[in-house]
């Protein structure tokens, strides 16, 4: 007589279901994370880059202490061969923009993205 799942071969099926259930939980957590990111500032920038067909942009996740690390360590983390390859970008508002016209006009835009090397100086005035 067959009375236990192990004898029937159901024990291995049960463990396979447990593994599938664990994978499903991990996938659900990843989907929730991606949905949260889609509504984050990074998600909005990513969508805008895709809509504008900017395919050269690369987004990197970095450790929480990224900005506490020396520039050399940050360069290595991002795959840059030296600090001189590293840049920072800042979105700045054109306070002289009158509010008239197309705010996306490159000659008179409301906002500009300024890219500066970390090793360079920038005067925001």
């Amino acid at each position: 007589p067959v009375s236990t799942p192990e004898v029937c071969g159901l024990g291995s099926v049960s463990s396979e279901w447990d593994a599938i259930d664990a994978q499903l939980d991990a996938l659900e957590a990843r989907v929730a994370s991606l949905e949260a990111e889609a509504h984050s500032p990074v998600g909005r920038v990513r969508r805008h880059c895709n809509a504008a067909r900017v395919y050269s942009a690369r987004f990197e996740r970095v450790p929480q202490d990224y900005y506490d690390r020396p520039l050399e360590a940050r360069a290595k983390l991002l795959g840059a061969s030296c600090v001189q390859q590293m840049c920072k970008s800042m979105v700045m508002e054109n306070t002289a923009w009158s509010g008239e016209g197309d705010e996306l006009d490159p000659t008179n835009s409301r906002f500009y993205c300024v890219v500066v090397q970390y090793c360079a100086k920038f005067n925001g005035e």
Side-chain angles (χ1 to χ4, degrees):
V2 177
S3 61
T4 64
E6 290 76 22
V7 173
C8 294
L10 296 178
S12 64
V13 171
S14 176
S15 64
E16 287 178 29
W17 276 111
D18 290 343
I20 290 170
D21 193 42
Q23 287 178 332
L24 182 59
D25 287 344
L27 288 170
E28 287 173 341
R30 178 71 177 135
V31 166
S33 170
L34 290 171
E35 286 173 343
E37 182 181 300
H39 299 291
S40 72
V42 172
R44 288 192 300 271
V45 170
R46 197 183 292 263
R47 280 194 310 279
H48 180 77
C49 286
N50 288 338
R53 298 178 186 209
V54 176
Y55 302 116
S56 60
R58 188 175 100 192
F59 295 87
E60 291 286 338
R61 289 190 183 274
V62 295
Q64 198 165 2
D65 68 342
Y66 175 78
Y67 288 105
D68 296 329
R69 298 178 183 205
L71 280 176
E72 293 77 14
R74 290 190 246 166
K76 183 177 180 182
L77 184 70
L78 295 174
S81 61
C82 63
V83 172
Q84 287 74 16
Q85 289 183 329
M86 296 185 58
C87 297
K88 55 187 161 194
S89 58
M90 300 171 279
V91 175
M92 304 187 77
E93 185 172 7
N94 177 3
T95 56
W97 185 67
S98 66
E100 295 180 19
D102 181 7
E103 67 180 29
L104 299 178
D105 175 359
T107 62
N108 185 29
S109 182
R110 180 175 177 193
F111 295 99
Y112 288 95
C113 179
V114 179
V115 179
V116 181
Q117 282 181 284
Y118 267 105
C119 57
K121 299 291 181 197
F122 176 76
N123 182 350
E125 293 183 32

